Every structure is written in structure tokens, then in C-alpha cells.
Amino acid sequence: AYFGTDGESVLSNDGYAKATCEYDPRGNITHVAYFGTDGEAILCNDGYAGLTSEYDERGNFIGVTCFDVNGNPIDPPR
């Protein structure tokens, strides 16, 4: 989370005030979500509000799904 000198939530240079992450047992990030200063979902500068990453049984990255602020899947940025 990002805070100004006054202790209030502020947007980072990447376009969000807070990010949350979930990890699998191997330590791979499986889910990321971005939030604005109001605590609501927000698009980061890359154009998505969250993503889920998929890994195979050996822990190799195999794919990603990006989401808009409503949780709908969108095309990953290029």
C-alpha cells in the first residue's frame, strides 16, 4: 500500500494505491488485485485490475488471465 506524508492513501506511479497477492505452496504468485485510494478495484497502468497466473505441476508458468474492475476477463496487455 502507498501513503502520502499525511498518512492518507495515494496512487503509486503504477496507478494503484494498494495491491494484494496470493501465492501457491511453491511461492509463485497466483492472484494479484489492485485498488484505488477509495479501496475499490482500479486498473493499474498496464490496463487490468487483477490477474491470475497458472503454473503446471512442476511450477512452470503456463498462462495468465487478466480482469477488469468488475472481475470480467479481458485480453492481457501486450
Side-chain angles (χ1 to χ4, degrees):
Y2 295 88
F3 300 96
T5 56
D6 60 0
E8 295 295 316
S9 181
V10 296
L11 294 178
S12 70
N13 291 337
D14 294 318
Y16 57 88
K18 177 182 174 183
T20 61
C21 299
E22 295 176 14
Y23 300 85
D24 67 13
R26 294 176 184 259
N28 296 315
I29 295 176
T30 58
H31 182 76
V32 178
Y34 299 105
F35 303 93
T37 56
D38 59 1
E40 297 295 320
I42 193 171
L43 297 177
C44 69
N45 288 348
D46 290 328
Y48 52 88
L51 61 83
T52 57
S53 297
E54 297 175 59
Y55 302 88
D56 66 15
E57 63 279 350
R58 293 185 296 183
N60 297 307
F61 175 78
I62 58 172
V64 65
T65 303
C66 295
F67 300 93
D68 66 15
V69 295
N70 297 313
N72 299 312
I74 58 173
D75 290 333
R78 303 266 179 235

